Amino acid sequence: MLEDSLKNINAFIHLIKNQQSLLLNENRHEDLKEASANFRETEDELADDLIAWCTKYTDIKQALRQTRKELSSGETQSTEDRFPGTTKPIAPPPPPPPKVSRETLLNAIQESFPNQSK
């Protein structure tokens, strides 16, 4: 479950950094900032909070699903890559340490929309 939660969190961070226009529609960014104040600490809880928030916006939920799929397929490809002359696969990067995900997410939200005022 933790691995899935981290994938959801990382996909959401990627989404807000690379598809900001989804969050600028209808003041969704303000809604996200308000919701993020109540996001819980553990990765599983945080991922649940993100998914719950995304269910209010069908297009964001679909974009999150697509982003997660794209990031996962990229991880799959990188684990199948091999160093020249070896049969050992290149290991994927380690997941972030516990509790960094919430801070990383909150920072990404803040940094993605620095000129937005509440």
Side-chain angles (χ1 to χ4, degrees):
M1 184 78 168
L2 179 60
E3 184 178 333
D4 288 339
S5 295
L6 290 173
K7 286 180 182 179
N8 281 326
I9 294 166
N10 289 329
F12 191 80
I13 290 170
H14 187 271
L15 187 70
I16 63 173
K17 287 183 175 183
N18 297 296
Q19 295 185 29
Q20 290 181 3
S21 61
L22 285 173
L23 296 169
L24 292 175
N25 293 340
E26 303 166 8
N27 291 328
R28 294 174 180 181
H29 173 251
E30 293 300 322
D31 186 37
L32 177 60
K33 282 175 55 176
E34 289 175 19
S36 69
N38 296 316
F39 284 170
R40 297 171 287 172
E41 291 292 325
T42 71
E43 285 84 0
D44 289 336
E45 292 171 332
L46 180 58
D48 289 344
D49 293 342
L50 284 173
I51 299 301
W53 183 83
C54 288
T55 58
K56 298 192 306 188
Y57 306 105
T58 306
D59 55 337
I60 293 176
K61 185 176 177 182
Q62 290 172 344
L64 179 63
R65 186 178 300 130
Q66 182 64 33
T67 300
R68 180 182 165 165
K69 187 183 298 183
E70 289 170 2
L71 293 175
S72 292
S73 68
E75 288 177 9
T76 300
Q77 290 172 352
S78 68
T79 59
E80 292 175 357
D81 290 341
R82 309 219 185 282
F83 288 112
T86 69
T87 58
K88 185 177 181 181
I90 300 171
K99 294 198 177 184
V100 172
S101 293
R102 182 176 190 273
E103 293 171 22
T104 303
L105 173 65
L106 296 177
N107 287 338
I109 292 169
Q110 185 64 36
E111 290 171 7
S112 294
F113 304 96
N115 297 327
Q116 302 291 321
S117 60
K118 190 166 184 178

